[in-house]
Amino acid sequence: MAPKNRIIIDTDPGVDDTLAMLLALSASPEELEVLLISVTYGNVPLQSCLRNVVALFHVLEKEMKWRESTGKGIAPFGALHAFKPIVAVGADHPLEDELMAADYFHGEDGLHGVHEAHPHLSPDETWRLLFKNETGISGKLPPASPFWTPSKEKAHKEILRILKENPADTITILTIGPMTNVALAASEDPETFLRVKEVVVMGGAVGVEGNVTPVAEFNTYADAVATARVFALTSRVPASTMPPVLKDHHNLTSLPAYPGKLPRQLKLSLFPLDITTPHELKRSHLTEVIESRMAAGSPLALWTNTFLTGTFNNIEKLLGDGSEPGLSLHDPLCVWYMLTRDDSAWKPVPVLEDIRIETSGQWTKGMHVVDRRIRAKAGEVNSTVETHPEDPVDAVKFDEIPGDTKGWLNMKLGNRINRMVSSPGEDIFAELLVKRIFG
């Protein structure tokens, strides 16, 4: 039986990214197939993120051997055994911003020192050679993994290859880190990119405070230009919301405008902090489940307990009020959506929203801007737009609507974002996550 959902995960692991990947790989083959893990910079630098992905599969290999030797069976990691995702290395810096990181929260290596704490659970350093396009190193390579395949191609090219080789509307991309890889794919071949069924984005803060600035969430802030470019593909006129072209940007990646004619609009479902933050894993809940697994000798329990304990300790310090720490399950929520997307409890806002990304504000970079004004908008019939794609912002001519600036009141312009506002249950997700990963 073919899997219900086939996905690409674009990620910068990171604690909650790692939990998201574990949740995806713990699915049954009928629920989910992970075709590609596209790795980017973000929470920590690119090579640390890549190391964490390789380590995850290394630990799972040890975990499966332990489960087999103790008679526990492979369940629930059916998808891990049924499919073999590709792992590809992507961007190591934003398109037009300075590199930043969240190692203050995730630890210097992205997983609170887990590699140093448990060197027997970390892969030999020769894993780095698997991704190098060099000759004469085959004898030094580690043995192939039964669970993943390294790619020597750039991640955004692998994204495009998979979209091109599969029927349109069959592949969903989950972006749970900065959106640089996805923006690069969209820019290089927008027509192929628009074969995607849906892009599911963990990012942004719409009606709540940000987590890196008062208005910005980390993934968006880390590459606001990339996010703006991908969001623009949801518009009938992408030029109307594209970020301004920055002149004389040395040593950075200024991408061209999209073609004037595109085959269709992108479907993009957004999971901002508004919905992800309340879905929490509490320390007591984890301890209750994981201690018995650790005592029994589970490599996966030992490995995850190390970085989750480090995270809970960090949250306790940040809160400083003595309350029980809870880890917000930002990235895993997107995977849960993929596993249960037909559940009617997933509810978006009633109407697609025109959400635009601020890319150059002194205090507001990375902000998800929504027009909350109650104003009549120009209808489809009488509104006109002229665009010149080679100059994506300055040459867009908007309707003459009194009081309108940048086409906020023109129905033909602006982004169309499917923002999620409710899930099947904040109170049940943590339990489901832990049960699926640890059995």
Side-chain angles (χ1 to χ4, degrees):
M1 180 178 176
K4 190 175 182 181
N5 293 297
R6 308 179 74 213
I7 66 171
I8 292 167
I9 301 177
D10 190 63
T11 179
D12 62 331
V15 172
D16 55 325
D17 301 73
T18 300
L19 291 177
M21 288 187 289
L22 285 169
L23 179 59
L25 295 169
S26 75
S28 71
E30 294 76 28
E31 288 177 313
L32 202 65
E33 177 184 1
V34 182
L35 293 98
L36 170 67
I37 295 176
S38 161
V39 187
T40 186
Y41 70 93
N43 289 314
V44 287
L46 176 64
Q47 286 301 311
S48 294
C49 290
L50 181 60
R51 183 190 193 190
N52 292 340
V53 173
V54 176
L56 179 148
F57 282 105
H58 186 71
V59 170
L60 284 174
E61 193 171 344
K62 288 182 175 293
E63 175 75 6
M64 295 307 128
K65 289 177 180 176
W66 172 77
R67 291 188 181 191
E68 185 179 353
S69 68
T70 55
K72 297 185 181 301
I74 65 170
F77 284 87
L80 180 70
H81 290 78
F83 310 111
K84 193 173 181 178
I86 295 166
V87 175
V89 189
D92 63 0
H93 63 83
L95 296 181
E96 295 178 358
D97 288 310
E98 298 300 322
L99 187 65
M100 64 175 294
D103 51 0
Y104 61 89
F105 183 81
H106 294 269
E108 189 174 340
D109 64 353
L111 293 175
H112 286 282
V114 72
H115 305 291
E116 186 176 342
H118 304 296
H120 68 292
L121 295 179
S122 291
D124 186 276
E125 284 299 303
T126 54
W127 67 262
R128 298 181 189 275
L129 299 174
L130 294 169
F131 299 93
K132 293 187 180 298
N133 234 331
E134 298 175 10
T135 58
I137 61 172
S138 57
K140 303 174 185 176
L141 294 178
S145 168
F147 297 137
W148 66 282
T149 301
S151 172
K152 293 180 172 60
E153 286 285 354
K154 285 290 188 181
H156 75 278
K157 292 184 178 293
E158 286 286 8
I159 292 172
L160 290 171
R161 179 188 63 79
I162 289 171
L163 291 174
K164 186 174 290 187
E165 292 178 359
N166 287 276
D169 295 317
T170 60
I171 310 297
T172 298
I173 301 174
L174 273 64
T175 66
I176 55 176
M179 295 188 72
T180 316
N181 287 340
V182 179
L184 288 168
S187 175
E188 182 166 313
D189 189 347
E191 291 201 4
T192 294
F193 181 77
L194 288 171
R195 292 167 62 86
V196 71
K197 179 177 183 178
E198 181 180 9
V199 175
V200 176
V201 178
M202 190 281 119
V206 177
V208 298
E209 65 273 12
N211 59 7
V212 290
T213 76
V215 296
E217 172 274 335
F218 176 83
N219 288 342
T220 305
Y221 189 86
D223 196 343
V225 170
T227 307
R229 289 184 62 94
V230 176
F231 276 37
L233 287 172
T234 70
S235 174
R236 290 181 61 186
V237 183
S240 68
T241 64
M242 283 279 277
V245 175
L246 301 181
K247 308 299 182 183
D248 301 321
H249 243 258
H250 302 294
N251 301 319
L252 295 173
T253 312
S254 291
L255 299 179
Y258 296 124
K261 297 285 186 181
L262 289 172
R264 62 179 183 177
Q265 293 166 257
L266 174 67
K267 180 181 179 182
L268 189 148
S269 293
L270 181 65
F271 289 74
L273 296 179
D274 310 53
I275 184 172
T276 62
T277 300
H279 293 78
E280 286 189 326
L281 172 63
K282 294 291 189 181
R283 185 200 284 270
S284 58
H285 188 179
L286 177 73
T287 302
E288 179 183 326
V289 172
I290 208 167
E291 283 189 343
S292 61
R293 272 72 167 180
M294 290 174 59
S298 163
L300 179 60
L302 179 64
W303 192 67
T304 53
N305 182 68
T306 299
F307 63 77
L308 288 173
T309 297
T311 304
F312 286 131
N313 291 342
N314 206 0
I315 294 171
E316 270 187 338
K317 292 176 185 175
L318 291 172
L319 292 174
D321 59 3
S323 60
E324 181 185 9
L327 170 63
S328 290
L329 300 169
H330 304 296
D331 298 334
L333 194 67
C334 294
V335 176
W336 191 29
Y337 168 70
M338 292 307 304
L339 292 169
T340 61
R341 71 197 305 176
D342 294 333
D343 191 322
S344 60
W346 290 109
K347 294 188 186 302
V349 290
V351 179
L352 297 178
E353 288 182 310
D354 181 6
I355 301 178
R356 308 187 192 184
I357 307 302
E358 176 56 62
T359 60
S360 57
Q362 180 181 4
W363 309 116
T364 57
K365 191 189 88 168
M367 182 179 181
H368 283 53
V369 181
V370 181
D371 188 356
R372 305 187 190 282
R373 298 173 296 176
I374 301 175
R375 295 280 303 276
K377 296 195 174 187
E380 297 277 343
V381 177
N382 299 321
S383 58
T384 58
V385 183
E386 293 180 17
T387 66
H388 302 277
E390 67 277 4
D391 195 355
V393 173
D394 297 337
V396 180
K397 183 180 178 181
F398 304 101
D399 271 352
E400 293 295 328
I401 302 173
D404 190 23
T405 304
K406 297 297 183 184
W408 286 99
L409 301 179
N410 188 319
M411 290 291 288
K412 280 190 174 181
L413 304 179
N415 297 327
R416 297 293 180 265
I417 305 298
N418 183 51
R419 177 167 66 94
M420 286 293 169
V421 292
S422 71
S423 76
E426 297 170 10
D427 54 337
I428 64 171
F429 181 42
E431 182 178 355
L432 180 148
L433 174 87
V434 171
K435 184 176 181 180
R436 277 189 173 249
I437 292 176
F438 297 108

